[in-house]
Amino acid sequence: MTLLQTVPEWTATAPAIVLAVTGLVLLLIDTIDPDTSSNGVLAGTATLGSLTAGGIAGWFLTQGTGMESTGGAITLYGDALVVDGMSLFFTLIFTSVAAMVSVASYDYLAGRRYQGEFYSLVLFATTGMTLMAMSNSLATVFVSLELASLPSYALVAFLKKNRGSIEAGLKYFLIGALSSAVFAFGISLVFAVTGSLLLPDIAANLSVGSDLVGVLGLGVLMIAGGFAFKTASVPFHFWAPEAYEGAPAPVSAFLSSASKAAGFAVAFRVFTVAFPLGTVTTLSGGSVDWSLLFAVLAVVTMTLGNFAAATQENVKRMLAYSSIGHAGYALIGLAAITVDGGVANGDVLGASMAHLLVYGFMNTGAFLFIAMVEKWGIGRTFADYNGIASKAPIAATAMTVFMFSLAGLPPFGGFVSKYALFYSAIESGFWWLAAVGAVNSALSLFYYSRVVKAMWIEEPSKSLEIGSQPVGLYVAIIFAAVGTVLLLPGFQPVIETAQTVAAALF
Amino acid sequence: MIIEALIAVTFLAALVTFVLPDRYAGKAAFALSLVPVVGSLFMWQQYDASGNALLGGTAAFETDVVWLQLGQYDLHWMVGVDGISMPLIVLTTILSTLAIVSAWTPIAERQSQFFGLMLFMEANLLGVFTALDFFVWFIFWEAVLVPMYFLIGVWGGPRRKYAAIKFFVYTNIASLVMFIGFISLVFGLGDSISSLRLPEIAQALQAGQLGGFAGLSAGALASVAFIAMFFGFAVKVPVAPLHTWLPDAHVEAPTPVSVMLAGVLLKMGTYALLRFNFTMLPETARSFALPIALLAVASVIYGALLALAQQDLKRIVAYSSVSSMGYVILGLIAYTTYGVGGATFQMVAHGLISGLMFMAVGVIYNTTHTRMVTDMSGMADRMPVTAGIFVAGAFGYMGLPLMAGFAAEFFIFKGAFESTVMEAMPLFTGAAMFGIVIVAGYLLFAMQRTLFGPFKFDGDYEITKAPFHDVAPLAVLLLLTIVLGVSPDIFFTMIQDAVNPILELGGAF
């Protein structure tokens, strides 16, 4: 009997509980003495909470909690939540991003108001994401998606005196509300057809057969729209550049890495568990082939994101569009799932998850570097980045690592995770999808290397003054850079875990 | 584990140098770079490989562990050394150290970054020459581009941005084409391989396991893959007419970087050609013998003629690399012991001599701040030691007996004349030999006008003797050139041992 078998099953949700409690503790700390600026305590608490949650998730993952080795997924609360390898894997992504963002925010928030609220909003949003990854019912999917989204709206609009921030927050909120409505309507349509909200029950009811294939198809399409919003995929992507650009840079990092991963977590589960390809493509009244839908979305998303990124003059906006491009790569995970003789091959799904983990490090790091540049007050265009390396070589080196890794250049983690993703797609027979991805990836080197060129090779156009050396930002950026590099040699456990937990979904 | 240690120590040295204050960086980089030198010499002393690592031979210091299990093909961390890679490893470590010393004078700003990047590049180069798994090899191969991009782009001459980007774009596109070519071979092999280890792939290809893919027959697939890989590597070599990035990169790069570029980076191309094209697809190579020999001769003659037309000393040396690397291609396509062995030997010899020449030009430039032949005359009066070494190096380039260049060219020509790859091979060899005449022409021309005659200098700088640490690396390189020329067997026996299995393939050669 291991420890995990002696404690009650609800303890499997410990990462989410720790995150939620940390969020409350942060509010408590802020309440005790709201006037003094106890930024260090707040940032420390938030980081500690995220790291603890991440540590627990990692420990669960190595112990096999909710995985086949210890008796399969743990379902709780009338099957509304499920703790399995995939939810833990994604929790690891959310918590590492949250920890990096919390550490970095220590410097970014210095001298600003509402610090306690900022950290607790981050922690609550992370809780929502963790719950999204654990959702086993369309109702919990919806609720946890809102729990993750509402704090995000506030975080985007956090710079109350900055018009860009307010505008971004409003735009994000409006499109978020709209897509929530679409999503909820999709859920109701699916409920109308199948009579259930629990994902496994939906699949079971579908396999019995239904005459309302058209309604189901519409429902699936609308649900996919909801996910497209959360993951910043075409056609619900247009909020992303505005929101990422207007938001405080640590929030952009948080949204484009963790929030996007959460969207994928829940999309992966809903589509593979509730609408298994083997079932929905062989319905009596027709077929709902969502893999084709995602293949089209993947191609359009990555191409649009990359081409738009290539034309930007603003580094933060370029990263925002490139983040859309990366959503396209991750979508390959859903698009290239194959059903061979009734057995689905989820290798590509696992590769997509592994890419999201690497992405969590490199993309968070890149946005945090922008947070640092914002703190220095240097500016946002490529020209403003000229010559940064001569003043801050360590940070510029880290940024170079992020850029080349995002472009998929060796010897960084992004290279091997992209390789795994494209290779798995080819193995599933979707070589054209991999080819489009590879071409896009090659194209992306153009705009990523512009940042590198500006930092290292161009001379600063005006006198470049770098004020303070923000410790927290440096720690977070270097941590992300080391993670990005180490994920190349250490990729085996990541991809192995990802593919194992992905296979458990089918 | 000694290879891993060598690479790791070099990476670590790069990291340490990168964060050191500028004042100490140069000296520290030199001291740290001695560790890989000693390590590679120790490897050489302990060397016990036999045969060709790709063709069933035993590689020295081999490690083979599974790194990534992904679908059908496992990725292995596989490194090892055979007679082809061992000389190149020694060349890499020694030339890196000397290049670092030669950087003390010209590199005046952001030193810690410069020296850190040099060591980072060295580590990746060591990886290129030791990796025996395609994936690992490709990571190192691509990773070399990154430091080179910065080294040219940050510390280069006035047109450095253009040169750096041109270099990056050219070689990166070439790598992609090569990658596609190789991967199509892998798909053609299908289930007969379980990993991307080069020995496994080479042996599966030898065993005739290549099948068709995507509508192409096995033969057509081999041809397509051969052409794609040849193109990718030929850009790196560079073979005319794919050489246009090289003069730009060389002229803009600071001296130590030119040394590494000509001395080691170009060898990546020929090394890969030998390992991939000529070892894995010998039949296809033979069927392309005519165009390849044409390209080789074109590189030799055209490169030499271009060098003859230059007024910039550095450009002269840069174009002469195109010419010298043409000999390597000629030796490879000859498919004889002396041809392929001589080509490998020429990689090392050219590494030493071109390094020597670039450094000598660099030393002259450090003092005169010009490289134009028309700006100076009679430099031997003021910098006798530098001039003497320059002359000696030029003689080495021309193939003066008892110097490494002579041995290499002799082997290549002997091998090319013996070649039975095609009827016209002696004709091509004769044409290529004419290159020697042009080489002698442009080098004598350049020396006569810059070094000798009455002293004349169009510039405001005082011409003084070069400091000791500028000349010392030149002297070491000259010494090594002579040692290798007097006793080519230091490397040639081990090279032959690794080359012969390639020639036994098919028995027809």
Side-chain angles (χ1 to χ4, degrees), chain B residues 365-370 455 457-464:
Chain B
Y365 180 76
N366 290 344
T367 316
T368 61
H369 297 255
T370 177
F455 176 78
F457 176 58
D458 297 338
D460 296 332
Y461 294 92
E462 196 190 343
I463 308 298
T464 51

Side-chain angles (χ1 to χ4, degrees), chain A residues 27-40:
Chain A
L27 287 181
L28 194 67
I29 295 173
D30 201 46
T31 317
I32 291 168
D33 194 358
D35 293 333
T36 56
S37 173
S38 46
N39 193 6

Side-chain angles (χ1 to χ4, degrees), chain A residues 421-471:
Chain A
L421 186 58
F422 295 156
Y423 173 80
S424 306
I426 291 173
E427 208 179 34
S428 308
F430 285 79
W431 60 268
W432 55 274
L433 209 50
V436 174
V439 168
N440 266 298
S441 202
L443 175 79
S444 71
L445 184 61
F446 162 70
Y447 57 82
Y448 287 126
S449 64
R450 272 186 81 189
V451 181
V452 175
K453 178 164 165 274
M455 289 192 307
W456 290 91
I457 294 179
E458 302 287 346
E459 301 290 334
S461 46
K462 50 180 189 260
S463 67
L464 189 66
E465 286 298 327
I466 284 177
S468 55
Q469 298 283 346
V471 181

Side-chain angles (χ1 to χ4, degrees), chain B residues 168-478:
Chain B
F168 202 59
V169 169
Y170 262 66
T171 47
N172 209 22
I173 289 176
S175 297
L176 276 179
V177 175
M178 179 275 293
F179 188 86
I180 293 169
F182 185 82
I183 290 298
S184 58
L185 267 192
V186 171
F187 283 128
L189 285 170
D191 290 335
S192 60
I193 50 171
S194 63
S195 74
L196 298 185
R197 284 174 297 173
L198 300 181
E200 194 176 330
I201 290 169
Q203 282 158 35
L205 285 168
Q206 269 15 293
Q209 302 283 356
L210 189 67
F213 181 72
L216 292 171
S217 69
L221 182 66
S223 297
V224 168
F226 185 91
I227 292 171
M229 293 197 295
F230 190 89
F231 172 81
F233 299 138
V235 169
K236 199 83 142 198
V237 171
V239 175
L242 304 172
H243 65 282
T244 56
W245 62 270
L246 178 115
D248 286 310
H250 264 314
V251 171
E252 298 308 318
T255 303
V257 177
S258 297
V259 171
M260 292 305 286
L261 188 59
V264 192
L265 257 74
L266 303 189
K267 276 68 197 177
M268 286 165 63
T270 45
Y271 173 81
L273 274 177
L274 175 54
R275 282 279 196 230
F276 288 81
N277 289 52
F278 291 90
T279 304
M280 290 185 181
L281 298 167
E283 311 285 337
T284 321
R286 195 169 61 150
S287 67
F288 284 116
L290 181 67
I292 293 174
L294 265 175
L295 283 175
V297 173
S299 295
V300 169
I301 302 293
Y302 185 61
L305 286 176
L306 283 174
L308 192 61
Q310 302 306 318
Q311 294 295 328
D312 181 333
L313 278 178
K314 206 167 175 185
R315 265 183 190 270
I316 294 177
V317 184
Y319 277 116
S320 75
S321 288
V322 178
S323 182
S324 297
M325 296 311 278
Y327 290 131
V328 179
I329 307 289
L330 185 74
L332 289 178
I333 191 59
Y335 264 117
T336 53
T337 311
Y338 278 100
V340 181
T344 313
F345 193 82
Q346 166 80 338
M347 293 185 209
V348 182
H350 179 256
L352 294 175
I353 300 174
S354 68
L356 172 60
M357 294 300 282
F358 272 116
M359 274 188 209
V361 172
V363 172
I364 293 174
Y365 180 76
N366 290 344
T367 316
T368 61
H369 297 255
T370 177
R371 290 186 306 251
M372 303 313 279
V373 173
T374 44
D375 286 350
M376 49 189 151
S377 160
M379 286 295 149
D381 277 355
R382 305 294 165 95
M383 349 174 48
V385 180
T386 312
I389 294 177
F390 190 97
V391 172
F395 281 149
Y397 229 124
M398 292 178 222
L400 200 74
L402 296 186
M403 305 214 12
F406 171 75
E409 282 166 20
F410 177 76
F411 292 149
I412 289 174
F413 292 137
K414 179 171 157 55
F417 273 123
E418 287 168 354
S419 172
T420 56
V421 168
M422 56 176 174
E423 294 274 316
M425 202 60 191
L427 193 69
F428 284 102
T429 316
M433 286 179 82
F434 187 68
I436 301 179
V437 180
I438 314 178
V439 173
Y442 65 74
L443 284 174
L444 288 171
F445 199 52
M447 285 192 298
Q448 187 254 326
R449 288 199 291 173
T450 52
L451 302 178
F452 306 117
F455 176 78
K456 177 177 80 69
F457 176 58
D458 297 338
D460 296 332
Y461 294 92
E462 196 190 343
I463 308 298
T464 51
K465 278 184 193 167
F468 175 73
H469 61 76
D470 273 3
V471 184
L474 292 173
V476 175
L477 277 176
L478 184 60

Side-chain angles (χ1 to χ4, degrees), chain A residues 179-202:
Chain A
S179 58
S180 284
V182 171
F183 189 61
F185 196 62
I187 292 176
S188 67
L189 289 179
V190 170
F191 183 74
V193 176
T194 60
S196 175
L197 286 175
L198 292 178
L199 306 183
D201 288 1
I202 292 173

Side-chain angles (χ1 to χ4, degrees), chain B residues 484-503:
Chain B
L484 209 58
V486 171
S487 170
D489 270 355
I490 295 179
F491 284 139
F492 198 61
T493 29
M494 78 166 62
I495 290 173
Q496 269 182 314
D497 180 44
V499 160
N500 282 334
I502 301 176
L503 307 170

Side-chain angles (χ1 to χ4, degrees), chain B residues 65-86:
Chain B
V65 290
V66 178
W67 168 38
L68 208 59
Q69 279 174 318
L70 192 73
Q72 186 186 349
Y73 306 115
D74 289 346
L75 307 178
H76 290 240
W77 168 260
M78 186 181 186
V79 290
V81 171
D82 69 0
I84 295 170
S85 34
M86 190 67 238

